[in-house]
Amino acid sequence: MDPGAPFQFPAAVEGCSCVVCSRTGVPINQNSDATPVFTKYRLVKENADGTTVELTEEEIAEFEKRFPKHAEWNFPSQQQQWYKACQKLLDTVSKHKWANPFKVPVDYIAFQIPDYPTVIKHPMDLGTVRQKLKTKEYTDPEQMISDVRLTFRNAFVYNKKETDIWIMAEAVSKYFEGELLALQGGAAPPV
C-alpha cells in the first residue's frame, strides 16, 4: 500500500454496475507478503509429549468459567481482538476535525441533492460502520475497512474536487489510511 495514497477503493458488490463498484481499482489484498492487520488466536492444550491439541467445546466452557476476565466469548476470541481494534480505529478517525459530515448518512432531501441515490448506489457513513461493529455484522476486519473506504469514495464520486466536502473527505481518508497503516505496524504518514 502506498502510504501517500488518499484512500483505497472499497470492495465491489458482486453483480453491481454502479459508479463505485465499477471503479474498484486495486484489490485490497493484492500484496500477499503484506503483514496482516490482525492475528488470529486459538486455544490449545499441550500434551506431555509437547504436541498441542485444540480445546473441545467442554474445555472451552470450563475455561470461560475459571477465567472470565480472559474469556470474552460473546463471539469467537480471534474476532474479539479485531473488533476492539476496529472500534478504537473508528473512534480515532471520528475525532478528526473534519469527520463530522461523514458520521451520519447523507440527507439528500435536506441538502436538496435528489440525484444522490441515483449516483451513489451503496451509501455508507461512519455512524453506520459504528452500528455494524456494535451489532457484530462484520465477520472480518476487511469488511469494516471496506465500508470506511466506501464512505470516502462516495464523497469523491459525488462531489467535485474543489468542493469543501471533497477536500474534507480526502483529509479524513488520508488520516484513516495512516492510522490503519500504524495499526498494521507501519509508520503513519504525517498529516
Side-chain angles (χ1 to χ4, degrees):
M1 181 174 82
D2 176 10
F7 64 93
Q8 284 191 2
F9 289 87
V13 175
E14 192 171 327
C16 182
S17 61
C18 77
V19 68
V20 173
C21 293
S22 64
R23 297 181 184 176
T24 56
V26 179
I28 293 169
N29 293 323
Q30 181 181 16
N31 183 355
S32 61
D33 296 331
T35 303
V37 179
F38 303 96
T39 305
K40 293 183 179 181
Y41 293 93
R42 58 190 167 100
L43 288 176
V44 296
K45 61 183 174 183
E46 187 172 352
N47 295 324
D49 64 0
T51 60
T52 59
V53 179
E54 289 193 42
L55 296 182
T56 65
E57 293 296 323
E58 295 80 24
E59 290 169 323
I60 290 174
E62 178 62 27
F63 179 84
E64 289 175 335
K65 289 178 191 172
R66 291 185 61 201
F67 306 102
K69 289 185 180 182
H70 299 288
E72 294 177 315
W73 301 110
N74 295 340
F75 50 105
S77 64
Q78 65 271 17
Q79 288 183 330
Q80 194 72 23
Q81 178 189 7
W82 66 259
Y83 261 83
K84 286 181 179 181
C86 285
Q87 186 65 52
K88 185 177 178 183
L89 176 61
L90 186 60
D91 289 344
T92 301
V93 171
S94 294
K95 291 176 185 172
H96 188 281
K97 67 181 179 179
W98 289 341
N100 281 343
F102 311 105
K103 291 181 184 180
V104 295
V106 172
D107 185 347
Y108 62 90
I109 295 171
F111 290 121
Q112 299 178 5
I113 49 174
D115 65 334
Y116 187 83
T118 305
V119 175
I120 302 300
K121 298 290 187 188
H122 307 287
M124 187 53 61
D125 62 275
L126 300 179
T128 300
V129 173
R130 182 175 307 284
Q131 184 62 30
K132 289 173 81 171
L133 269 173
K134 184 178 180 181
T135 59
K136 298 174 178 54
E137 290 182 46
Y138 296 121
T139 58
D140 64 63
E142 291 299 331
Q143 291 175 333
M144 178 269 194
I145 292 166
S146 182
D147 274 355
V148 172
R149 289 175 174 154
L150 178 61
T151 299
F152 303 121
R153 180 68 184 137
N154 287 345
F156 297 139
V157 167
Y158 190 79
N159 299 281
K160 293 182 180 172
K161 190 170 184 174
E162 65 273 2
T163 62
D164 287 343
I165 201 74
W166 199 99
I167 294 166
M168 294 166 81
E170 182 180 39
V172 182
S173 175
K174 282 182 179 180
Y175 183 68
F176 168 74
E177 295 298 335
E179 292 297 314
L180 179 60
L181 184 63
L183 183 63
Q184 292 172 320
V191 177

